[in-house]
Amino acid sequence: MADGWIDETPCGGWPWESVEPGPGLAAAVAGVEVDALPGEATASLLKACDRLLGWAQVQAGRAMVAVSDAVTEASRPAPGVVSSDRDAWLGEELAAALRVAPATALGKAAAAEEVLRVHPRLGEAVESGALSWTQASVLGQGVRPLRGLRDDRGRDLAEVALSVLLPDAGRYPPARLRERVAAFVVRLAPQAAAERRRREARDRTGVEWWAEPDGMACLAVRGLAPDLLALRGRIHAAADRLRERTADGQPGAAAGQPDAQAGQPGGAGEGEAPTLGQWRVGALLAAFGVTPLDPALASATASATASATASTSSPGPAADPAPPRPEVRILIDLATLFGLVDAPAELEGYGPIDPELARALAADADWVRWVSDPVTGHLLDAGTRRLPTPAMARQVRARDARCSHPTCGRRAAGCDVDHVPAYRRTGRTHMDQLAVACPRHNRRRDQAGWLAEPHPAVDLTGGPAPVWTSPLGQRYATLRSPLLPASPPGRPPPPPADPDAPPDPDDLPPF
């Protein structure tokens, strides 16, 4: 989905819109005949219920923290001593009350402790409706690596991070908020981030397997993100070549193999072609010499292998050249690339990475690096062109990371370059009117009733920040974040009298 968005829907005058989360809001929404409401009122009611849900989760979290304290007291072997079995007793107590597994119950208790006790302002934000419980949990878990670390002015880095991130956190969905928190954590403590990455690479790298229902299983590979991104690109490219060979040779069942096998358990139905996922698994198995047992895929890969073998044994052009190297991009600012500052970089398809790893990747000729500033060269207004030039399209996709629709997370590489507002209204194609939108939200939004317009209050030099209006009249302004956050100031101001005092938001690194 988009980086974030602001709900700019005007107040509709419904009674629940002016009530703070709590018993009063519960009374306002209770007994409402939803089926009798107009469309815009149903969306407003949904938002009110979501705020009420956050308030209720805070109350449940407080009860959970109280249960945790009570179990700690009840299980003490001696005054002032915490039992080594305390977590086990707590998990069982909560699991029985909530009808969940003990591990799930302990996870809920840890989140409640983080939101309500370790960082109480997170709980206050949820209770007031400014944040959802999930957003607060993402913030609490995200700044956890900074606990115990202090900057050169004696400030607790976890609290510094929350002071910067909390005011705007409600604008971001949990997935994008998690990326934003991770980038800022790296910015505040780059060396600690590099140490965590090295430790995780040592302790968690491996291959795991587990069974799933209906004869399925999952093989999971965990390792350094750049390595696995490159591996995924190789698998996808190999699957595309395998599918092309089958299309050029004998689509469907291989010679001498009955078509009826396509209907066997584990394969596609009779006459059905393998799915993209099946092709990719088939390519991975073929790379290690394993013949797929999926009948439809086995016949297709056998046909493709026979075609490839015939082409290599017959005179004529050489066999297929080596597969093209998948393009994986590192976005890094110029100062970090030169080692002048330690700002987080962005690994396309993954998210923020620490500067030490980013510099190593940027120096590798097998990777594509994008330096965010300065950028030489200029793109001129294309006048009345209907379609952007290839150079304009490349720059727009580099500038805008994702589809501009609030709920869509598709990466720019798979998106169209879209006119905002629509070309038919302006008759112009210019950089300040171009954004990225996935094919669905570009080509089909009109029939779905969505409208995209540029935000009138946003500077368009970095591209339009669309305001999307839903079929029910709800307005959501897409947030346009910079490709990389600005570098922090080089000279910190003088320390405060009390190092534990809350940081002044005007005295913090920009983000």
Side-chain angles (χ1 to χ4, degrees), residues 22 137 243 380 409 420 442:
S137 298
R243 185 167 52 172
L380 301 177
V420 180
N442 177 26

PDB file of all heavy atoms in Angstrom, residues 22 137 243 380 409 420 442:
ATOM      1  N   GLY A  22     -14.869   5.590  24.059  1.00  0.00           N
ATOM      2  CA  GLY A  22     -15.220   5.218  25.417  1.00  0.00           C
ATOM      3  C   GLY A  22     -16.678   4.825  25.512  1.00  0.00           C
ATOM      4  O   GLY A  22     -17.339   4.583  24.486  1.00  0.00           O
ATOM      5  N   SER A 137       1.629  -1.043  18.711  1.00  0.00           N
ATOM      6  CA  SER A 137       2.492  -2.211  18.908  1.00  0.00           C
ATOM      7  C   SER A 137       3.689  -2.171  17.968  1.00  0.00           C
ATOM      8  O   SER A 137       4.809  -2.520  18.355  1.00  0.00           O
ATOM      9  CB  SER A 137       1.696  -3.498  18.686  1.00  0.00           C
ATOM     10  OG  SER A 137       0.642  -3.606  19.625  1.00  0.00           O
ATOM     11  N   ARG A 243       8.726 -21.676 -18.993  1.00  0.00           N
ATOM     12  CA  ARG A 243       7.382 -21.532 -19.555  1.00  0.00           C
ATOM     13  C   ARG A 243       7.453 -21.189 -21.040  1.00  0.00           C
ATOM     14  O   ARG A 243       6.667 -21.700 -21.844  1.00  0.00           O
ATOM     15  CB  ARG A 243       6.629 -20.448 -18.790  1.00  0.00           C
ATOM     16  CG  ARG A 243       5.183 -20.291 -19.214  1.00  0.00           C
ATOM     17  CD  ARG A 243       4.418 -19.452 -18.228  1.00  0.00           C
ATOM     18  NE  ARG A 243       5.057 -18.182 -17.941  1.00  0.00           N
ATOM     19  CZ  ARG A 243       4.491 -17.217 -17.227  1.00  0.00           C
ATOM     20  NH1 ARG A 243       3.288 -17.410 -16.717  1.00  0.00           N
ATOM     21  NH2 ARG A 243       5.112 -16.082 -16.998  1.00  0.00           N
ATOM     22  N   LEU A 380      12.550  17.788 -19.657  1.00  0.00           N
ATOM     23  CA  LEU A 380      11.758  18.950 -20.040  1.00  0.00           C
ATOM     24  C   LEU A 380      10.301  18.564 -20.224  1.00  0.00           C
ATOM     25  O   LEU A 380       9.955  17.394 -20.373  1.00  0.00           O
ATOM     26  CB  LEU A 380      12.301  19.541 -21.353  1.00  0.00           C
ATOM     27  CG  LEU A 380      13.767  19.972 -21.297  1.00  0.00           C
ATOM     28  CD1 LEU A 380      14.198  20.471 -22.662  1.00  0.00           C
ATOM     29  CD2 LEU A 380      13.975  21.028 -20.231  1.00  0.00           C
ATOM     30  N   GLY A 409       0.049  -1.719  -2.313  1.00  0.00           N
ATOM     31  CA  GLY A 409       1.467  -1.752  -2.005  1.00  0.00           C
ATOM     32  C   GLY A 409       2.337  -2.181  -3.160  1.00  0.00           C
ATOM     33  O   GLY A 409       3.512  -2.491  -2.968  1.00  0.00           O
ATOM     34  N   VAL A 420      -2.118  12.508 -13.257  1.00  0.00           N
ATOM     35  CA  VAL A 420      -2.948  13.037 -12.181  1.00  0.00           C
ATOM     36  C   VAL A 420      -2.888  14.566 -12.256  1.00  0.00           C
ATOM     37  O   VAL A 420      -1.829  15.152 -11.983  1.00  0.00           O
ATOM     38  CB  VAL A 420      -2.458  12.569 -10.792  1.00  0.00           C
ATOM     39  CG1 VAL A 420      -3.341  13.144  -9.696  1.00  0.00           C
ATOM     40  CG2 VAL A 420      -2.446  11.057 -10.708  1.00  0.00           C
ATOM     41  N   ASN A 442      -4.994   2.267 -12.144  1.00  0.00           N
ATOM     42  CA  ASN A 442      -4.865   3.230 -13.235  1.00  0.00           C
ATOM     43  C   ASN A 442      -5.979   3.035 -14.267  1.00  0.00           C
ATOM     44  O   ASN A 442      -6.669   3.981 -14.635  1.00  0.00           O
ATOM     45  CB  ASN A 442      -3.497   3.078 -13.904  1.00  0.00           C
ATOM     46  CG  ASN A 442      -3.324   4.014 -15.091  1.00  0.00           C
ATOM     47  OD1 ASN A 442      -3.942   5.063 -15.169  1.00  0.00           O
ATOM     48  ND2 ASN A 442      -2.479   3.615 -16.024  1.00  0.00           N
TER      49      ASN A 442
END
